[in-house]
Amino acid sequence: MSRKPRKSAAKAPLQLGRPVTLPASPDKAKLDRVPNPHRGTGYLVRFAAPEFTSLCPITGQPDFAHLVIDYVPGDWLVESKALKLYLASFRNHGAFHEDCTVAIGKRLVREIKPTWLRIGGYWYPRGGIPIDVFWQTGKLPKNIWVPDQGVPPYRGRG
């Protein structure tokens, strides 16, 4: 059954198509959404961010990850420029790997209300240990093809 997107109250214009400064923090970042032109059709959207960065909240040292976000849209799509700005806002944000990964997934769910979402955070090692963090909203809907996230386990130089 196809549902129409809910009309929202007057909102600021989309960030798309105009200069926008990098948000100072994830909390200050705006995640724009646009109507799903194929609502009622089950399909998967994937975003890969292979150069995600944040800061260790204890040492202030940079942490690096390859994020893969898969979602089945409901009424809304996340606008990609807004997503890029949101992810970039973590560059000067101190949080543990688990917090960054899960917070991104939860924020997307809150903003776009997808039918299903999963995020894989493949963090590069610091102190010799890579950390991979995975979160999803529930069971994958029927008849949705979800390819492997394509990020091999970390093997170092060997």
Side-chain angles (χ1 to χ4, degrees):
M1 180 173 160
S2 181
R3 298 181 325 239
K4 292 183 180 179
R6 292 175 295 282
K7 291 186 180 181
S8 58
K11 289 177 70 173
L14 296 178
Q15 299 169 88
L16 183 64
R18 62 186 178 92
V20 179
T21 59
L22 185 65
S25 70
D27 292 339
K28 295 193 183 304
K30 181 181 174 221
L31 265 176
D32 293 330
R33 65 185 190 180
V34 296
N36 177 1
H38 295 282
R39 61 184 180 270
T41 300
Y43 66 99
L44 184 85
V45 177
R46 171 170 289 170
F47 287 101
E51 298 176 345
F52 180 83
T53 59
S54 66
L55 298 176
C56 172
I58 306 300
T59 66
Q61 294 294 310
D63 288 318
F64 303 89
H66 183 152
L67 299 181
V68 180
I69 301 164
D70 293 322
Y71 76 96
V72 175
D75 290 342
W76 303 100
L77 303 173
V78 66
E79 195 284 308
S80 63
K81 178 181 179 181
L83 179 63
K84 291 172 198 172
L85 290 166
Y86 171 61
L87 294 178
S89 73
F90 281 84
R91 289 183 182 162
N92 295 313
H93 177 73
F96 291 114
H97 303 341
E98 297 86 349
D99 185 24
C100 287
T101 306
V102 175
I104 290 166
K106 286 182 173 183
R107 173 88 187 265
L108 284 165
V109 167
R110 190 170 68 245
E111 300 287 343
I112 65 169
K113 298 170 181 46
T115 302
W116 177 83
L117 180 139
R118 80 170 175 187
I119 182 171
Y122 301 86
W123 292 83
Y124 293 93
R126 287 203 343 113
I129 300 174
I131 298 174
D132 295 337
V133 181
F134 307 99
W135 183 80
Q136 73 179 38
T137 58
K139 291 189 179 213
L140 178 67
K142 283 184 157 187
N143 301 319
I144 300 293
W145 176 56
V146 181
D148 181 80
Q149 290 194 329
V151 181
Y154 186 79
R155 294 185 44 91
R157 291 188 158 177

